[in-house]
Amino acid sequence: EVQLVESGGGLVEPGRSLRLSCTASGFTFGDYGVNWIRQAPGKGLEWVGFIGIKPYGGTTEYAASVKGRFTISRDDSKSIAYLQMNSLKTEDSAVYYCTRDNLAAPLLFDYWGQGTLVTVSS
Amino acid sequence: IQLTQSPSSLSASVGDRVTITCRASQDISTYLAWYQQKPGKAPKVLISAASNLQSGVPSKFSGSGSGTDFTLTISSLQPEDFATYYCQQLNNYPPTFGQGTKVEIK
């Protein structure tokens, strides 16, 4: 069974950093790209970024709203993807989900974690 | 690419037929998916490629459209279908979502 579990969320002050983890199981992690998607309280869904697989260079893509502040990486030996968030702003407060890429339909988000809540506040 | 869903919310009764529309700001062919999200839960994909029902999704859900105009139809609304529905374009980066349609009980 495919499972994705996010962790690392919490309360952080504006300007500080936080690293989220996405721990995968039930599939060969290194064969799949990973996306991060967030949802501010009571709001809609916003794609944050993507990391591809190592054989293709582990390419990353980011939303304009986080580019230069957020970095996605992966450790295939541990089946974990990371979202490093720096210079956090209050508008980054959201539930952060990781999703597995769909090999047949890139950017189709068919497996999601349960999400981890990030609150940026002083 | 901007996606505009309508309506933003609707009230319906059990057994009603419900239609939600999604309009894209440019041609996305059939690179569109529909998701259902219940409170406190992650979204669940219902339909991909505009009209392909995902495995395990009841046939009361159907999708149609291509280019810029798409619809999600629920043929007979049941209590478990009260949720928020999102469309998403897969045509190019960045992938974007509609603002959501909340389906509530009348």
Side-chain angles (χ1 to χ4, degrees):
Chain A
E1 179 192 7
V2 172
Q3 282 198 319
L4 299 165
V5 178
E6 302 90 342
S7 60
L11 175 63
V12 61
E13 293 180 340
R16 306 290 290 237
S17 298
L18 199 63
R19 189 179 78 163
L20 306 183
S21 299
C22 170
T23 303
S25 60
F27 64 99
T28 304
F29 182 72
D31 290 346
Y32 291 84
V34 174
N35 290 272
W36 287 91
I37 294 165
R38 68 184 180 183
Q39 186 171 36
K43 302 297 184 182
L45 300 164
E46 180 188 18
W47 175 81
V48 172
F50 163 80
I51 185 165
I53 59 175
K54 291 283 177 60
Y56 292 92
T59 306
T60 54
E61 298 279 353
Y62 298 98
S65 58
V66 306
K67 198 167 188 177
R69 300 188 298 122
F70 289 13
T71 303
I72 300 173
S73 61
R74 62 189 300 155
D75 184 339
D76 292 347
S77 68
K78 296 181 179 178
S79 296
I80 299 178
Y82 300 100
L83 177 64
Q84 177 68 43
M85 304 185 293
N86 298 333
S87 303
L88 281 161
K89 306 175 181 180
T90 55
E91 53 263 41
D92 294 319
S93 295
V95 174
Y96 284 74
Y97 297 99
C98 64
T99 71
R100 190 189 80 169
D101 210 24
N102 183 298
L103 296 181
L107 298 183
L108 179 67
F109 309 125
D110 53 358
Y111 287 98
W112 298 62
Q114 85 288 351
T116 188
L117 177 63
V118 173
T119 303
V120 184
S121 175
S122 54
Chain B
I1 297 174
Q2 292 187 344
L3 298 178
T4 304
Q5 287 181 234
S6 61
S8 296
S9 64
L10 65 90
S11 295
S13 301
V14 172
D16 283 354
R17 181 183 180 89
V18 168
T19 298
I20 299 168
T21 66
C22 178
R23 175 162 288 177
S25 59
Q26 64 186 70
D27 189 336
I28 58 170
S29 183
T30 58
Y31 291 99
L32 188 100
W34 289 96
Y35 298 82
Q36 176 194 65
Q37 187 179 32
K38 296 182 178 179
K41 300 293 187 182
K44 170 188 173 183
V45 61
L46 302 174
I47 288 170
S48 63
S51 60
N52 290 349
L53 202 64
Q54 292 294 104
S55 175
V57 175
S59 59
K60 60 183 170 181
F61 293 98
S62 63
S64 65
S66 67
T68 61
D69 294 307
F70 303 87
T71 61
L72 171 70
T73 299
I74 309 171
S75 60
S76 177
L77 204 63
Q78 297 302 305
E80 63 269 20
D81 303 328
F82 291 95
T84 301
Y85 294 84
Y86 294 93
C87 58
Q88 179 230 334
Q89 66 86 13
L90 297 76
N91 189 61
N92 56 19
Y93 278 102
T96 48
F97 295 86
Q99 81 279 15
T101 296
K102 187 173 184 179
V103 177
E104 299 177 301
I105 301 172
K106 182 183 284 185

